[in-house]
Amino acid sequence: QVLLVESGGGLVQAGGSLRLSCVASGRTFSIYTIGWFRQAPGKEREFVARVNWSAGMTYYADSVKGRFTISGDKTQNTAYLQMNSLKFEDTAVYFCAASSVVTSKWDYWGQGTQVTVSS
């Protein structure tokens, strides 16, 4: 079992920045990839970014490419999402997720952190 806890959300003006953190605990050795997802009111959850926990390779949704940066610190079991040039449409609950080396599926999810961008 892997436990994920997000933090760092809040209210920011358009054009501003926030950094989200995701701390993993438990069977962290089983983590293959950590990703960030978001869900806006009335919309389905969507993929934002992911990082391969061992190799560090990253991948982004087109909507955030060039503005968001995902990174991971294995020594701290923490993943980050640096969000710059925030837009109103980035407003959502942001979730951290982890896939395991066994299933390669998003088996573990955090509780989410709210990001609100005012226009």
Side-chain angles (χ1 to χ4, degrees):
Q1 190 75 6
V2 174
L3 178 65
L4 303 171
V5 179
E6 305 99 331
S7 62
L11 174 65
V12 63
Q13 289 187 333
S17 298
L18 280 176
R19 189 177 80 157
L20 305 183
S21 299
C22 172
V23 179
S25 60
R27 299 171 62 91
T28 57
F29 61 85
S30 68
I31 294 175
Y32 178 64
T33 304
I34 287 192
W36 287 95
F37 293 76
R38 66 187 181 186
Q39 187 167 19
K43 295 187 178 181
E44 294 188 353
R45 188 174 299 185
E46 64 174 0
F47 167 79
V48 175
R50 68 173 187 256
V51 58
N52 180 282
W53 206 230
S54 295
M57 293 180 295
T58 59
Y59 184 78
Y60 298 91
D62 288 343
S63 58
V64 306
K65 202 173 293 183
R67 301 188 297 122
F68 291 10
T69 302
I70 188 171
S71 61
D73 183 345
K74 289 188 68 176
T75 64
Q76 300 294 324
N77 288 321
T78 302
Y80 302 97
L81 185 68
Q82 177 67 43
M83 306 185 294
N84 299 327
S85 302
L86 282 161
K87 304 176 182 180
F88 175 75
E89 50 265 40
D90 293 319
T91 296
V93 177
Y94 283 71
F95 297 89
C96 173
S99 69
S100 74
V101 295
V102 176
T103 68
S104 298
K105 297 180 180 179
W106 300 110
D107 290 328
Y108 308 106
W109 292 84
Q111 82 288 351
T113 185
Q114 176 70 46
V115 172
T116 302
V117 184
S118 62
S119 57

